[in-house]
Amino acid sequence: MSRFTIHDLAATIDARAASGGEASYTRKLLDKGAEHCAKKLGEEAVETVIAAVENDRDQLIAESADLLFHLLLLLKSRGVSLEDVEAALAQRTNMSGLEEKAARKRDI
């Protein structure tokens, strides 16, 4: 079985966003705007949390897949790439999580 990665998902979203038309759920969501995409992400986040709290492994996996899809969709709607997020994560690995969190508070 070939491995499907988050980069594959991002590429699929890019392709479907470019395709247009009524047949694409991705395109329909993007056409509704970033605010709608953000709302969908929030809904999926809540559903993921509920699955985790209820200790429902299968539902947690399914909701996590939905959450990742909707996160990438929201990023796409705002012109942010997965590579942009990866760069921010890479930059954070140069310090501990506690140091990184403290640095964010200083920046505010």
Side-chain angles (χ1 to χ4, degrees):
M1 178 164 80
S2 65
R3 183 178 165 174
F4 186 81
T5 70
I6 196 162
H7 285 275
D8 295 328
L9 178 59
T12 298
I13 289 170
D14 287 344
R16 290 181 181 166
S19 70
E22 288 295 310
S24 172
Y25 176 69
T26 299
R27 183 74 257 159
K28 284 182 182 181
L29 289 174
L30 288 170
D31 287 345
K32 290 182 179 181
E35 294 80 9
H36 182 78
C37 293
K39 181 180 174 191
K40 289 296 292 179
L41 176 64
E43 292 170 6
E44 296 303 336
V46 169
E47 291 170 3
T48 303
V49 168
I50 291 168
V53 168
E54 292 179 349
N55 199 24
D56 185 335
R57 185 178 192 278
D58 291 339
Q59 194 63 27
L60 178 58
I61 291 168
E63 294 300 344
S64 294
D66 291 346
L67 182 63
L68 290 172
F69 168 80
H70 286 280
L71 173 59
L72 291 177
L73 191 69
L74 176 60
L75 293 174
K76 175 79 176 168
S77 74
R78 289 296 191 202
V80 176
S81 70
L82 181 56
E83 290 77 14
D84 294 332
V85 176
E86 288 176 325
L89 288 169
Q91 192 173 22
R92 292 179 182 185
T93 63
N94 294 326
M95 62 180 78
S96 76
L98 295 174
E99 291 171 326
E100 189 275 329
K101 190 171 183 173
R104 279 191 277 153
K105 287 182 182 176
R106 285 192 304 265
D107 291 341
I108 295 177

